[in-house]
Amino acid sequence: TIVASVGHIYDLAVGRGVYGYGVEHDNGLFIPVYTDIKRCVKCGHQFTDERDRCPITGCGGEVTRKLDIVKVLQELATEVDVVLIGTDPDTEGEKIGWDLKVLLEPYAREIKRIEFHEVTRKALLEALNNPREFKLELVEAQIVRRVEDRWLGFALSEIAQQYFWPEYCITVLQEVYVNKAKKKRKLLEIPPCCEKNMNFSAGRVQTPVLGYVVSKFEDQRDP
């Protein structure tokens, strides 16, 4: 039996912890707080807070939860001798696989991790014949990466959306849309610059690297 988890099961709980990024701070320890992912059936938006309807303005679509998938997987796990988890062979895949392992352990006789890097008969047979244990160091690496996503990526994205998006929208996008409208000789809807654009974001890796590049450029430019 081959079934899919459809990606991650858990994600950091928005609204919890320091600055609402899903990480608690207690006695000098930083504790990630996870909850199951919800997904809008209508627009596909994924989120973690407890809602029955999609939080995207104007959507309001029905919501499914990853725990619904987990319940199906738990039922299937009781019917087999061994569960083989073959998520992607990277830190993301190891974290997804680990979450599934923890959730299925009470229902499964045995759970193993298989790893393959290509979808071929040879690679699949080799993976099936060489199951392994989970690598906790990869799971921990993904947890740290996700915390960085929130502390750096989310925090900087909110600043970008608040201050840089309106300026970019007004000075660049509106001019582009006006020029397109003139060429097509019809009115085009200009994007609202006063509303937050969730797609205007800053990455946890790209932003510090960009800052480093700008800093080095400024150092060389100064006499």
Side-chain angles (χ1 to χ4, degrees), residues 10-16 18-23 33-35 47-48 143-158 204:
Y10 288 138
D11 199 0
L12 293 174
V14 173
R16 295 284 301 274
V18 182
Y19 304 117
Y21 292 141
V23 183
V33 180
Y34 282 88
T35 186
F47 55 97
T48 55
I143 293 174
V144 172
R145 173 183 172 179
R146 191 55 177 152
V147 171
E148 287 181 340
D149 277 337
R150 294 292 175 87
W151 282 356
L152 293 177
F154 276 44
L156 293 172
S157 293
E158 288 182 359
R204 72 180 186 286

Side-chain angles (χ1 to χ4, degrees), residues 165-182:
W165 162 249
E167 181 178 349
Y168 171 78
C169 181
I170 293 170
T171 59
V172 179
L173 278 191
Q174 289 203 0
E175 182 177 350
V176 170
Y177 272 73
V178 168
N179 289 335
K180 283 184 177 180
K182 289 180 179 178

Side-chain angles (χ1 to χ4, degrees), residues 6-209:
V6 196
H8 280 280
I9 300 296
Y10 288 138
D11 199 0
L12 293 174
V14 173
R16 295 284 301 274
V18 182
Y19 304 117
Y21 292 141
V23 183
E24 302 280 2
H25 185 223
D26 184 29
N27 293 325
L29 297 176
F30 293 99
I31 307 168
V33 180
Y34 282 88
T35 186
D36 70 306
I37 296 171
K38 293 82 178 175
R39 183 178 184 275
C40 173
V41 176
K42 185 177 179 181
C43 72
H45 175 64
Q46 294 192 154
F47 55 97
T48 55
D49 48 336
E50 295 293 331
R51 294 173 181 265
D52 296 326
R53 292 285 176 176
C54 178
I56 297 295
T57 304
C59 179
E62 294 184 2
V63 170
T64 60
R65 316 180 55 129
K66 283 299 181 76
L67 285 185
D68 296 333
I69 296 176
V70 170
K71 290 175 182 177
V72 174
L73 296 178
Q74 289 172 339
E75 290 181 8
L76 291 172
T78 63
E79 301 174 2
V80 298
D81 295 321
V82 59
V83 174
L84 299 173
I85 297 178
T87 45
D88 288 346
D90 55 15
T91 56
E92 294 272 334
E94 203 75 10
K95 175 63 167 62
I96 296 171
W98 175 259
D99 289 341
L100 289 169
K101 173 183 181 294
V102 171
L103 290 164
L104 297 180
E105 270 184 326
Y107 304 87
R109 295 182 179 89
E110 184 180 8
I111 300 178
K112 291 289 185 179
R113 176 85 161 97
I114 60 172
E115 180 179 332
F116 52 95
H117 296 258
E118 58 186 49
V119 185
T120 62
R121 177 183 175 84
K122 178 182 178 181
L124 289 172
L125 288 175
E126 185 175 344
L128 291 171
N129 290 324
N130 296 281
R132 63 169 175 82
E133 299 299 325
F134 284 83
K135 297 178 180 178
L136 278 179
E137 64 272 18
L138 295 182
V139 177
E140 292 168 352
Q142 201 282 330
I143 293 174
V144 172
R145 173 183 172 179
R146 191 55 177 152
V147 171
E148 287 181 340
D149 277 337
R150 294 292 175 87
W151 282 356
L152 293 177
F154 276 44
L156 293 172
S157 293
E158 288 182 359
I159 295 173
Q161 291 162 9
Q162 182 177 355
Y163 296 105
F164 298 110
W165 162 249
E167 181 178 349
Y168 171 78
C169 181
I170 293 170
T171 59
V172 179
L173 278 191
Q174 289 203 0
E175 182 177 350
V176 170
Y177 272 73
V178 168
N179 289 335
K180 283 184 177 180
K182 289 180 179 178
K183 288 181 180 179
K184 293 185 176 182
R185 296 183 179 179
K186 64 178 183 179
L187 183 64
L188 295 178
E189 185 179 351
I190 298 175
C193 300
C194 56
E195 296 181 6
K196 182 185 290 188
N197 185 349
M198 300 297 288
N199 293 320
F200 198 80
S201 61
R204 72 180 186 286
V205 176
Q206 296 93 331
T207 304
V209 171

